[in-house]
Amino acid sequence: MNRQQAIIADLKYLLQGNVLADEPLSMHTTWRVGGPAEVFVMPVSSQDVAAVTRYANERGIPLTVLGNGSNVLVGDRGLAGIVLKIGAGLAQLDVKRNKIRAQAGAGVGRVAAAALEAHLGGLEFVWGIPASIGGAIVMNAGANGRAMADVVTGILAVTPAGETATLGREDLVFGYRESILQATPLIVVEALLTLAPREKDRIRREMEAGLAHRKATQPLAYPSAGSVFKNPPGQAAGRLIELAGAKGLTVGKAQVSRKHANFIINLGGATAADIYELINRVRELVYEKTGISLELEVKVLGEM
Ligand SMILES: Cc1cc2nc3c(=O)[nH]c(=O)nc-3n(C[C@H](O)[C@H](O)[C@H](O)COP(=O)(O)OP(=O)(O)OC[C@H]3O[C@@H](n4cnc5c(N)ncnc54)[C@H](O)[C@@H]3O)c2cc1C
């Protein structure tokens, strides 16, 4: 039995969720790129998450967490070790008064729809963001001047030792597309959101207006990961990319969108290497033109 087979046999014994070999990660990223995961796990409970983290930690096996894969660039050679996909198996929701308890794999759109039904405002901005609740909290996803930090009261997380930890909003140290979770090995399994009562029609109108704006300004017909770079203070990354003349720049099948220059789109059949090279070229062009060094918003996983 080789290492991969041994890990799979162990995890199938330990977990209730599915365990797969060589799962193509291009099926789990919105850019539709990424090679295979040596071992791919879909947990169905926080106990599953705890068992995997403890197992990987004790044996020194690399563990990578994926939510909906909408902010990651996974290398063409894939990822060694275990990829833990927090998705549909861990996606329960519970609405009580003005609070929503959501498991980390719940899609933010589903949570926003539940908030709408309960006449609760505060999550309108997530409508159209293809994130899981866990990924949205890790990234402090936001739009229109609002962000997850505004609604998160606390989370339940799993430590590498497989213990459960409770973190409050202050512990999460939210910033622009940042949280402490990006610098710790904690895995979010559940979140508590606090919302405010609001008229249903007003919530719906704001959600629809946000989505219409996205459709008008973003290249949603193509696979992408949303904004590739963070906006430097007081500047829009897309505007700087336009200024640098990089709109429409193409490497292989990856292209800087003509509709929104901070999006890199997969024209069909792009590789992670195409996208990564394009990212570097855009960075160089922007630096030459403006002296500003753009910082990546997307997370690069694996070798490029
Ligand atoms: C069309 C489009 C539009 C977008 N619009 C926006 C927008 O308006 N605003 C915005 O902020 N972003 C936007 N994004 C980017 C993206 O949706 C967000 O960054 C989102 O928060 C990522 O969530 P995810 O579940 O896909 O996380 P992933 O991409 O799967 O993961 C992101 C990071 O979080 C980690 N992670 C994920 N889940 C967990 C967990 N449960 N525990 C611990 N770590 C975890 C991963 O390891 C990775 O480092 C857009 C993307 C697309 C494709």
Side-chain angles (χ1 to χ4, degrees):
M1 211 189 267
N2 64 24
R3 161 175 127 140
Q4 183 192 36
Q5 290 162 338
I7 297 173
I8 289 175
D10 286 347
L11 291 180
K12 280 194 167 163
Y13 175 76
L14 285 171
L15 309 178
Q16 278 187 292
N18 235 334
V19 184
L20 304 172
D22 302 321
E23 174 73 358
L25 292 172
S26 55
M27 308 275 289
H28 301 277
T29 62
T30 55
W31 246 327
R32 296 283 172 251
V33 303
E38 185 180 356
V39 176
F40 187 80
V41 175
M42 290 175 280
V44 294
S45 64
S46 53
Q47 287 80 3
D48 271 2
V49 175
V52 177
T53 49
R54 198 178 307 121
Y55 177 87
N57 188 40
E58 281 169 359
R59 290 160 183 77
I61 299 169
L63 178 71
T64 308
V65 183
L66 265 193
N68 200 40
S70 64
N71 201 50
V72 290
L73 178 59
V74 177
D76 297 314
R77 280 196 260 163
L79 297 174
I82 301 168
V83 173
L84 186 61
K85 157 100 179 182
I86 310 272
L90 204 67
Q92 283 173 23
L93 292 185
D94 180 37
V95 185
K96 272 211 185 90
R97 284 189 227 100
N98 67 329
K99 309 254 189 233
I100 298 186
R101 192 171 287 284
Q103 286 188 314
V108 290
R110 213 180 115 227
V111 183
L116 170 73
E117 284 314 308
H119 302 229
L120 293 173
L123 270 179
E124 295 84 347
F125 71 93
V126 303
W127 200 237
I129 302 181
S132 65
I133 279 288
I137 292 174
V138 171
M139 294 306 304
N140 191 19
N144 313 325
R146 307 272 298 166
M148 290 305 291
D150 301 333
V151 294
V152 173
T153 300
I155 62 159
L156 270 187
V158 169
T159 69
E163 311 283 343
T164 303
T166 308
L167 283 83
R169 188 190 174 285
E170 298 307 317
D171 303 322
L172 295 169
V173 198
F174 285 118
Y176 166 59
R177 301 296 170 267
E178 276 189 6
S179 74
I180 194 87
L181 298 164
Q182 292 178 28
T184 69
L186 293 174
I187 300 176
V188 185
V189 288
E190 193 178 295
L192 183 65
L193 311 178
T194 303
L195 303 170
R198 194 179 184 205
E199 218 177 286
K200 196 172 175 182
D201 263 0
R202 297 184 70 182
I203 300 173
R204 187 186 284 116
R205 261 184 273 130
E206 190 176 328
M207 286 162 80
E208 284 171 359
L211 191 60
H213 181 71
R214 283 176 189 276
K215 286 182 178 163
T217 58
Q218 299 178 359
L220 300 181
Y222 293 92
S224 80
S227 292
V228 173
F229 299 101
K230 291 186 181 182
N231 290 324
Q235 308 260 19
R239 176 88 194 104
L240 297 173
I241 295 166
E242 268 187 72
L243 270 177
K247 226 175 183 181
L249 194 67
T250 305
V251 172
K253 293 288 183 184
Q255 184 174 72
V256 176
S257 166
R258 293 180 205 280
K259 198 166 178 181
H260 190 316
N262 200 14
F263 277 54
I264 288 181
I265 55 175
N266 181 347
L267 296 171
T271 61
D274 291 341
I275 294 171
Y276 194 65
E277 191 183 330
L278 189 52
I279 285 172
N280 287 331
R281 286 211 203 159
V282 168
R283 251 186 178 157
E284 278 166 25
L285 286 169
V286 169
Y287 187 74
E288 277 166 22
K289 182 80 184 177
T290 66
I292 294 172
S293 188
L294 289 177
E295 196 186 323
L296 271 185
E297 179 173 322
V298 298
K299 302 289 178 196
V300 175
L301 304 177
E303 278 175 41
M304 287 297 139

